[in-house]
Amino acid sequence: MQDRWKQATQLVHAGHEKDPSGALVSPLYQSATFTFTSAEQGGRRFAGDEPGYIYTRLGNPTTSELERKVAVLEGAQAAAATASGMAAVSTALLSYLSQGDHLVASNAVYGCTYSFMTEHLPRYGVKVSLVDCKDIAAVSAAITPQTKVLFFETPVNPHLDVFDIAALTALAREHGVATVVDNTFMTPLLQQPLKLGADMVIHSATKYLNGHGDVIAGMVCGSQEMIDKAKYEVLKDFGGVLSPRDAWLILRGMKTLDVRLSRHCSSAGQIAEYLDNHPLVDKVYYPGLKTHKGHALLGKQMKQAGGVIAFELKQDLAGSIAFVNRLKLWTIAVSLGDAESLIQHPASMTHSPYSPEERQAAGITDNLLRLSVGLEDCEDLIADLAQAF
Ligand code: LCS
């Protein structure tokens, strides 16, 4: 029945089980371990012959509620909560990849995702090819008999390129390749990659899902079989599980995701238009603008354009940095999806793991600035940009 609820209802109620005390809000199970009534029962739990909790690295009631909620929202059979978005990236990829396998990935991704794929996976004997996923022919050409996974974010952090999920998953499927999509920028409310053929979806729950800037967390969503593998083969031993306290905070944050996203999207739309019409702005990257290359996929694969905007000023690097420093209401910080509006400089911050040449290949220019539009009044946000110009 939860599958049939509208997503605003799922955000509030999905995954919740009535507490015997009558507590409206689920209690926080802040316990590292769970007791057995007998040694035999402990043995049965470890053998998988009896359901029940054992030890929080293997599962916890608060974390399970979050996993059930996110799975329902993504239309997944199951989900696993992780200690960070990076733990979600690494858990997802390590669930599929072994020595000798090949990964095809977008050449433009969050900076630490990039360094995980280009520095760490090769150390374990996984070959990686990076491509521009707007170019379906290039993706097709990169696939080899050893390719196991196609990985991309859409829209891309930081320049908001949009990739055609259905076209890419269809191509991958033809070659027996699994597709893993990072849905952080959209959340399941604006985009559901599994319904477009993806095999696994990951999130940095640090961002919109939690929405309050006080937790680092991640989610991995997919089939029961793959999530069991992620949980009981990768997370169990690599150890990047989410703390129940942080799961509880995300459960609280998610209840308001629908109302928060409406404000993020409507303000971002107005700010993108403002910047696009400003004489001192060179380029604006926001899928909500008709001039954006990914605009055709708005309404098709993404319901709205989200709350992140990238732009370039008609200024050199020093002039762009001086503009950032003149802002008073916008806060200079990385991360996104919080109540506070944030601005950052990808080349020197989130995407500094790229070399200058790699950034150029990925279309991340040196004077690109990225905004995460928060929940403040939009007129105040525009007024602050205006005084900084
Ligand atoms: N995926 C995407 C698309 C991200 O933007 C990030 C972090 C991650 C994964 C990793 O998530 P974390 O481990 O931080 O929870 N993006 C950041 C950003 O743009 N600014 O600061 C972090």
Side-chain angles (χ1 to χ4, degrees), residues 84-87 89 110 113 153 157 182 184-185 202-207 216-218 334-336 344 350-351 370:
S84 65
M86 283 316 303
V89 170
Y110 169 59
T113 304
E153 305 166 353
N157 184 358
D182 184 333
T184 299
F185 272 39
I202 67 115
H203 285 275
S204 167
T206 312
K207 311 296 177 338
I216 295 282
V334 295
S335 204
L336 54 108
Q344 67 110 5
T350 50
H351 290 69
R370 192 193 74 187

